[in-house]
């Protein structure tokens, strides 16, 4: 899925929006503490409930094994943080328990869209009481409870509070693309744990792509045998993942992308293609021509067998057929398809694709499944329960809602594009100015972050999903009014660290990748560098550094992360200093970072020279020296209240333009801050 | 398995031996480069084979899928290090390939004891040629080849060399105890990869213990259902592990410990116990009384069913029945057992256990299995193919060899005891003074590192096994003459880093554990601390910091590692300086480390004060301040060539005695170096 043009425009627009300051409804950080997503209503009170080794969980009402297991695991997570031995039993007398959980009903054993996820959590200095109508609501409340654990000199404790909470949207998903890069079961499991921790409730599992057919079919085993390089999920593994997800209140919605993005199907079944074969598994990223033939009855015969099998394997009511980015080239070039269209009065490729969708629809309906697809499947005479997933944006979603269709937003949540969390955070599936009636608004079900996997391996995928997806999870759960970006980043850092306890690797794998690159050298200078570089954004990676789906993802670009923390700190200090906020403190912070860069330069040059794997990035070491010199000169002038001349400014800004250019697919993202320093030091704003 | 007394004595003896300097046969580090284990014969030549993107592997002779897959994975590891796209095809013309692999035979598809693991590797500036009689020999050679990859300004390359290599011992194992702490399949798989990387060839899988029964039995499902807390390996998973191991040339030898260490069996089958039940899964570490009843026919009826099933599940010819640490208390207390002994003329508990073993023997022989057990099963009239695993030491092993029995050594390789790699490295299964004839020597098959799992979780187990086990692997593979400890440590650091590419977590999980402990604080001061502390050794952990098998293993003691690198550097610099080796350089190094400790003190105190999980370790922050002051005073005197008086010395040494004491289960292991500084500064050697 590579929505190059439209996404580019949307993101540019969103980036502009990001600098517009938002009305801050939650501007006292102490109100939100370590909570993410922020609950609907939080009322702090005085008093605290200590966590000691006597802490235990008890239940009243209707409970099931899922809830008891969830609470059991929560206790183990508390043990891991506190190094205390906590009880493995649930006391029968709820009054004596530190946390009492009351559920009125167990709810659906396998979660369904619209399940009641609400809960209330009431913590006094004597006991915490979690009340929820269903097991899944209690799960959400347990995660909130875990986020409330704090510590100080006196020990671990929970601040007294009353929280009532419920999600703003019922569909809060993460798409994981197992097609382009296969991800082992343990990667999926740890990400399901992380999803539950931030209250996401849908794993959208993208299972077939041009680059891989990843699902075992017993009826049509040639599909995965010839289309997967041996990298597929057995049906036992799929059932295991579904159960694991259900135990965390997460639905699993499978996607089988068609009629385009289907090369891997055609390796074993060239007879259902719209153009002549043979076909090979695609290795490049991009949009490709191979497309199923909608005029061929063999296509439907095969899909009927396939969907009947998958409908029983996946319990969720929704089944995603993709439908995106079919550019119709094979259709245009095939005389038989053209003749079919003429004969049937089908006037466009879009109409032909609608014909295809309508042939598939009864295959899904037969087993009680609801069809779901990307924007392109939208067609007014489809049944109204079809769900549209929009990569085009809120307008397309609103348009569908007006025509009675349900939809979810993914435009703005493309985490593979390497935008900062702030860019995703401000995207609202249902903006205040949507112009939709309350009834239409209900059709906007939520959204999904999309982890397209062109450039992620099991070693790096966590760092591409987390922590940014937690910001999206908050957008989809919390009230619309929660949108303080600074407070989000503060809580994101806490959330990021806590995700480690679930096995996530987004923090610890970065130094590991740097150790591999440094060939035994000291990685400290590289760590300084990666704190101020980011991978190129959008779809530029392939343009500037072409690789295939088989290439190693162990370069500097793979160690670099979106939202480079050093760059964010630096650029913000520059903005504040130039805006006369804490001028002295920010000046000191800037100078200290410039010094840190300077200290890393010699070591960085040595590593770069001796590591052939870093040869592509050697210019960065040179750039850093120049950047450092320029920043130091600008700070010197600013500190002395002197003004550098225009010649210096022009030459310096020109240098910065060169420094800002990507090398090895990464960019020094502190350049924007340094540019501001240069402009300020030369008394002007030219080029800023 | 907790051989407290005997092991303690042996290790003390070995520790004394460690300080005796060894004849250094490989004292030019350039001879060994990054190789571990050091091959039998290495002849470096001039010239180098560059690694470029055109590098490929080709085969001649007899090849099988295992070898092709092994080479395929090796190519992916080279890609990960070099960030180059290498071929996924094997060219048909071997002459054009960068690495040509010639195997005369595929050998056994499932490895067997005594398989030919030899190979020769010949690298010129044109091609590398690996020749081996079997697939498994080629696997060993591929690992050597991967260890030869080097890099400099000109790129990646392999130095021209001729290597001929074969193992000194045919049995080179790692015991993983899945009984006390269950370890998931992915932990075992990544450790199998690491084992293959250092040429180990036996996974000794300890599957039943007082604390857990971890193997699925279809015939006797109550065993794992009642004895495992739900943490067991399904037979599918076991077959998967065995196949994964075989694909890496590693045998899997299962151990079912009996008649002692068997509490988990008795939970579901109290009728085969020697004392009255009921029994519960044991949660503590130690040696426990519950023992199978060797006088009860029900015992043999059950074991016959069990062994028949396991014999078919595990293909290896050897089956380990444990047999250790049965203290016979239940036997002594049971009048029926006493009557049985009297009636049968059985004079001791050891004789009764031999009776038990002899009843089991035919159950194993029926399916072609060879019995194996710990020292305690040794009894002269057992069949001569029985293998004795010795926790008692080389003498017991030699004694058995003289009587015609084969054996392997584990005494000295107990990696759970937290001794440094150097202590294990000097232990030789077949010391030069063994007094055995060549024929008897052949009966000493090798050895096994033992990862008893009282105190390891999936998060920490890699850091307890690696890198130290690589030093043991070298002892078991390389010629006896390879024993330069410094060179071993130099290569161990390289090996440690390379193990990361196989998914090992021993490096990256330490900062992760510290982040959890620091509750969001800066971990740099904690990193300084953990570089100079080590967990208490031997079996003292439980004495000073009692926990159970259910306790969280996330404390400072779990983040600390054996062989603290900062302490080794410091203590060595002290020895060298006081021995007048590079006096100025070592003095500067010592002073720099003292300064680094000093810089960490304030931050450390803040973290300790605010993290309740570190409350148990708060005294360490105080100790570090005092240690630092004492070291600085001593260095000041040494630098000034002045002598401190005896009062200062006595008081200071007394303080150091207190500082050396464990807190929170860890010890500041730089105290020994500081003590030497104090003695030198006061002109004496008292107390050193």
């Amino acid at each position: 899925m590579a929505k190059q043009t439209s996404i580019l425009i949307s993101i540019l627009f969103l980036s502009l929006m990001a600098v517009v300051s938002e009305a801050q409804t939650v501007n006292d950080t102490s109100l939100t503490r370590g909570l993410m997503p922020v609950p609907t209503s939080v009322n702090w009170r005085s008093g605290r409930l200590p966590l000691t080794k006597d802490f235990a969980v008890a239940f009243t009402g209707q409970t099931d094994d899922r809830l008891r297991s969830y609470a059991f695991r929560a206790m183990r997570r508390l043990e891991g943080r506190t190094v205390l031995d906590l009880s493995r039993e649930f006391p029968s007398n709820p009054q004596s328990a530190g946390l009492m959980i009351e559920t009125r009903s167990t709810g659906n054993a396998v979660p369904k869209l619209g399940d009641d996820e609400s809960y209330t959590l009431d913590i006094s200095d004597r006991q915490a009481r979690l009340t929820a109508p269903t097991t899944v609501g209690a799960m959400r409340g347990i995660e909130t409870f875990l986020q409330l654990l704090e510590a100080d000199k006196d020990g671990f404790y929970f601040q007294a509070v009353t929280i009532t909470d419920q999600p703003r949207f019922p569909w809060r998903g993460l798409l994981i693309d197992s097609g382009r890069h296969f991800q082992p079961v343990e990667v999926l499991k740890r990400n399901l744990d992380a999803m539950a921790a931030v209250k996401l409730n849908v794993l959208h599992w993208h299972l077939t792509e041009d680059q891989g057919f990843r699902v075992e079919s017993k009826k049509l085993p040639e599909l995965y045998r010839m289309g997967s390089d041996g990298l597929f999920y057995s049906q036992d593994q799929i059932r295991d993942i579904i159960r694991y997800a259900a135990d965390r209140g997460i639905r699993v919605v499978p996607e089988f992308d068609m009629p385009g993005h289907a090369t891997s199907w055609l390796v074993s079944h060239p007879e259902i293609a719209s153009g002549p074969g043979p076909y090979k598994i695609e290795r490049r990223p991009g949009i490709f021509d191979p497309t199923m033939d909608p005029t061929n009855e063999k296509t439907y015969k095969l899909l009927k067998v396939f969907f009947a099998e998958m409908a029983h394997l996946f319990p969720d009511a929704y089944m995603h057929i993709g439908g995106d980015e079919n550019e119709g080239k094979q259709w245009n070039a095939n005389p038989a398809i053209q003749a079919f269209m003429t004969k049937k009065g089908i006037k466009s490729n879009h109409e032909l694709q609608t014909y295809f969708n309508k042939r598939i629809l009864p295959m899904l309906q037969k087993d009680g499944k609801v069809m779901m697809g990307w924007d392109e499947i939208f067609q007014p005479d489809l049944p109204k329960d079809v769900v549209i997933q929009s990569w085009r944006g809120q307008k397309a979603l609103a348009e569908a809602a007006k025509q009675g269709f349900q939809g979810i937003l993914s435009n703005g949540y493309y985490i593979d594009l390497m935008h900062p969390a702030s860019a995703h955070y401000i995207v609202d599936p249902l903006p205040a100015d949507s112009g939709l009636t309350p009834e239409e608004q209900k059709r906007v079900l939520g959204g999904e972050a999309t982890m397209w996997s062109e450039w992620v391996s099991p070693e790096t995928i966590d760092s591409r999903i987390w922590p940014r997806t937690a910001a999206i999870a908050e957008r989809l759960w919390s009230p619309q009014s929660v949108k303080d970006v600074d407070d989000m980043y503060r809580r994101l850092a806490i959330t990021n660290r806590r995700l480690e306890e679930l096995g996530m690797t987004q923090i610890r794998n970065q130094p590991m990748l740097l150790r591999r690159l440094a060939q035994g050298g000291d990685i400290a200078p590289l760590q300084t560098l990666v704190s101020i570089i980011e991978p190129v954004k959008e779809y530029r990676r392939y343009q500037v550094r072409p690789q295939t789906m088989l290439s190693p993802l162990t370069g500097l670009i793979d160690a670099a992360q979106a939202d480079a923390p050093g760059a964010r700190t630096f650029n913000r200090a520059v903005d504040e200093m130039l805006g006369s906020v804490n001028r002295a403190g920010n000046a000191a912070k800037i100078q200290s970072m410039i010094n840190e860069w300077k200290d890393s330069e010699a070591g960085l040059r040595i590593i770069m020279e001796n590591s052939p794997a870093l040869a592509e990035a050697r210019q960065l070491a040179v750039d850093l020296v120049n950047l450092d010199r320029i920043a130091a000169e600008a700070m010197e002038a600013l500190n002395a209240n002197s003004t550098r001349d225009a010649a210096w400014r022009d030459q310096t800004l020109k240098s910065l333009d060169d420094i800002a250019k990507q090398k090895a697919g990464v960019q020094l993202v502190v350049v924007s801050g340094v540019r501001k320093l240069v402009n300020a030091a030369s008394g002007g704003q030219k080029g800023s």
Side-chain angles (χ1 to χ4, degrees), chain A:
Chain A
M1 173 99 7
K3 326 286 185 182
Q4 273 92 336
T5 323
S6 305
I7 283 283
L8 186 65
I9 293 164
S10 303
I11 292 277
L12 284 174
F13 176 69
L14 294 172
S15 301
L16 288 172
M17 279 180 64
V19 298
V20 178
S21 74
E22 301 281 341
Q24 297 185 356
T25 53
V26 187
N27 50 13
D28 181 347
T29 59
S30 71
L31 288 179
T32 54
R33 293 186 175 233
L35 294 168
M36 191 161 218
V38 168
T40 312
S41 157
V42 182
N43 288 296
W44 300 106
R45 294 200 312 275
S46 63
R48 48 163 73 180
L49 176 68
L51 176 71
T52 67
K53 67 178 175 45
D54 300 321
F55 180 86
V57 176
F59 301 96
T60 63
Q62 295 288 318
T63 60
D64 58 10
D65 279 346
R66 287 189 307 156
L67 180 56
R68 281 186 293 272
S69 297
Y70 207 97
F72 186 86
R73 291 192 303 272
M75 291 289 276
R76 306 292 77 77
R77 285 158 70 188
L78 288 176
E79 284 181 328
R81 290 185 208 169
T82 60
V83 203
L84 291 172
D85 278 66
L86 302 179
S87 176
R88 299 197 161 220
E89 311 294 325
F90 301 116
S92 53
N93 174 10
Q95 302 313 317
S96 66
L99 172 63
M100 197 267 272
I101 301 178
E102 180 178 351
T103 36
R104 283 196 293 283
S105 143
T106 58
N108 296 312
V110 175
K112 286 189 165 66
L113 176 64
D115 280 348
D116 189 340
E117 298 176 278
S118 69
Y119 67 92
T120 66
L121 179 61
D122 194 81
I123 303 180
S124 73
D125 52 12
R126 218 189 50 75
Q127 190 179 48
R129 298 172 66 97
L130 170 60
T131 315
T134 67
T135 286
V136 71
M139 290 176 183
R140 306 300 175 237
I142 287 172
E143 293 296 341
T144 299
F145 182 72
L146 287 175
Q147 293 176 3
L148 289 169
L149 181 73
E150 302 199 22
D152 66 10
K153 289 181 173 53
D154 298 325
F156 291 101
Y157 68 95
F158 302 91
Q159 181 65 35
V161 71
T162 300
I163 290 174
T164 56
D165 200 10
Q166 62 188 57
R168 181 170 167 223
F169 294 105
W171 190 304
R172 305 178 308 281
L174 169 64
L175 178 153
I176 293 184
D177 171 8
S178 290
R180 292 182 175 86
H181 273 93
F182 180 77
Q183 302 296 334
V185 167
E186 61 260 33
V187 171
L188 293 165
K189 284 188 174 176
R190 71 183 184 230
N191 275 284
L192 284 163
D193 280 313
M195 288 171 67
V198 296
K199 303 184 171 61
L200 289 175
N201 68 357
V202 179
L203 170 64
H204 174 159
W205 202 359
H206 188 80
L207 282 162
T208 65
E209 252 305 337
D210 293 308
Q211 295 90 349
F213 190 99
R214 307 300 185 190
V215 56
E216 180 191 19
S217 166
K218 308 236 190 229
K219 302 281 185 192
L220 303 158
E222 63 283 1
L223 283 168
Y224 74 86
R225 283 184 190 152
M226 295 176 71
S228 76
D229 301 300
L231 298 170
F232 64 94
Y233 304 101
S234 72
Q235 295 200 356
D236 278 345
Q237 288 176 321
I238 289 168
R239 277 185 286 267
D240 184 31
I241 290 285
I242 292 167
R243 186 170 48 239
Y244 196 90
D247 284 348
R248 283 144 187 85
I250 296 173
R251 300 162 47 212
V252 176
V253 175
E255 177 181 354
F256 310 105
D257 208 345
M258 60 187 67
H261 285 285
T263 308
S264 66
W265 297 71
L266 309 178
V267 178
S268 57
H269 286 280
E271 75 280 6
I272 68 164
S274 301
Y279 295 90
K280 288 199 301 186
I281 298 173
E282 182 57 56
R283 303 305 187 186
R284 296 160 298 168
I287 302 173
F288 301 97
D289 299 340
T291 308
M292 292 178 185
D293 184 351
T295 72
N296 184 343
E297 287 306 311
K298 284 181 184 162
T299 303
Y300 301 111
K301 198 174 159 197
L302 182 140
L303 290 177
K304 194 173 172 185
V305 172
F306 180 77
F307 278 122
E309 187 179 8
M310 293 301 124
H312 289 93
L313 182 59
F314 290 92
D316 200 79
Y318 292 80
M319 191 159 278
H320 202 300
I321 60 152
D324 56 311
E325 294 180 323
N326 165 25
E327 299 190 336
K329 289 186 190 166
Q330 282 196 335
W331 293 355
N332 297 340
N334 184 327
I337 292 177
Q338 293 303 313
F340 180 91
M341 289 171 73
T342 306
K343 185 178 153 198
K344 295 264 187 184
I346 295 171
K347 295 184 188 65
S348 68
N349 286 338
H350 183 243
E351 278 188 28
L352 183 58
Q353 187 163 338
T354 299
Y355 168 84
F356 174 81
N357 293 342
K358 285 187 179 166
R359 292 289 304 269
I360 291 170
L361 190 60
M363 301 179 194
L364 304 186
Q365 288 173 328
K366 183 176 72 66
D367 289 305
K369 302 293 181 185
V370 180
M371 184 190 278
M372 185 172 177
W374 298 94
D375 286 302
E376 290 92 331
I377 74 156
F378 178 56
Q379 214 281 340
D381 62 350
L382 282 175
K384 293 297 188 225
D385 63 354
V386 160
V387 173
I388 308 297
Q389 181 163 16
S390 185
W391 59 264
R392 288 183 176 148
Q394 291 102 323
K395 286 214 169 131
L397 206 57
E399 188 53 40
K402 279 181 189 159
Q403 298 195 36
F405 290 92
Q406 300 183 331
I408 61 171
L409 184 68
S410 277
N411 177 300
Y413 302 141
Y414 270 48
I415 51 177
D416 59 318
L417 301 186
M418 290 295 174
H419 288 288
S422 54
H424 302 301
Y425 189 59
I426 58 165
V427 177
D428 196 316
L430 201 52
D433 62 356
S434 70
L436 298 180
T437 66
E439 199 185 348
E440 289 163 354
Q441 287 184 19
K442 276 191 195 140
R443 296 184 190 129
V444 177
L445 300 175
E448 286 183 359
T450 53
M451 180 70 269
W452 301 112
S453 68
E454 279 89 346
W455 310 121
V456 295
S457 71
E459 284 183 335
T460 65
I461 188 168
D462 295 357
S463 74
R464 274 50 188 149
I465 300 177
W466 307 103
R468 293 178 300 149
T469 295
I472 298 171
E474 173 156 294
R475 175 58 50 239
L476 299 173
W477 176 283
S478 300
Q480 189 166 30
S481 60
V482 176
K483 47 188 172 184
D484 180 330
V485 170
D486 288 339
D487 190 50
M488 178 275 285
Y489 271 116
R490 182 186 63 76
R491 291 177 290 111
L492 199 62
I494 299 170
T495 304
N496 197 31
R497 180 168 48 79
R498 287 195 171 153
L499 287 174
E500 280 201 299
E501 77 189 17
L502 298 165
M504 309 308 293
T505 64
Q506 75 275 10
I507 302 176
R508 60 196 164 129
N509 277 11
Q510 188 181 58
M512 179 189 75
L513 289 166
L514 297 182
R515 280 190 286 275
R516 209 175 294 166
L517 286 167
Q519 294 281 325
D522 173 22
I523 64 165
L526 274 179
Q527 288 184 295
T528 299
L529 180 69
V530 294
S531 77
I532 56 172
I533 60 172
E534 289 177 4
V536 292
K537 304 196 189 306
E538 312 288 346
Y539 295 103
R540 288 180 60 214
R541 174 172 174 150
Y542 184 60
Q543 295 158 19
V544 302
R545 200 169 165 283
Q547 286 184 307
T548 74
M549 297 306 108
L550 304 178
S551 300
L553 299 175
T554 53
L556 186 61
I557 189 174
D558 302 296
Q561 298 186 2
D563 256 340
R568 197 153 46 75
T569 304
F570 180 83
N571 291 335
R572 189 184 167 108
V574 169
D575 285 341
E576 290 192 356
M577 183 187 74
L578 297 181
S580 293
V581 177
N582 183 17
R583 215 181 148 80
N586 279 306
K589 193 188 280 180
I590 291 166
Q591 194 60 56
S592 150
M593 293 187 75
I594 294 173
N595 294 345
E596 190 195 342
W597 305 342
K598 198 160 189 61
D599 290 344
S600 73
E601 288 169 5
L604 195 59
R605 201 178 52 243
I606 293 169
I607 293 173
M608 294 275 191
E609 277 172 7
N610 289 292
S611 170
L614 285 167
E616 59 173 347
R618 277 177 197 163
Q619 181 60 33
L620 283 172
V622 180
D623 284 352
L624 187 63
V625 173
N626 288 322
L627 183 74
D628 213 354
R629 179 184 49 74
I630 292 169
E633 286 174 7
M635 284 300 287
E636 200 184 316
L638 288 167
N639 287 335
N641 267 323
S642 64
T643 304
R644 299 293 304 237
D645 63 20
W648 175 85
R649 181 192 63 199
D650 293 348
Q651 191 203 336
T652 307
L653 290 178
K654 195 163 163 295
S655 296
L656 288 178
D657 287 346
D658 288 334
I659 293 170
K661 287 177 186 148
Q662 69 78 27
K663 285 101 196 173
V666 300
Q667 290 176 284
L668 279 159
V669 285
V670 286
V671 170
S672 63
V674 174
R675 199 178 270 134
K676 288 175 186 169
L677 291 178
V678 167
N679 278 313
S682 50
Q685 287 302 314
K686 186 177 173 237
S688 73

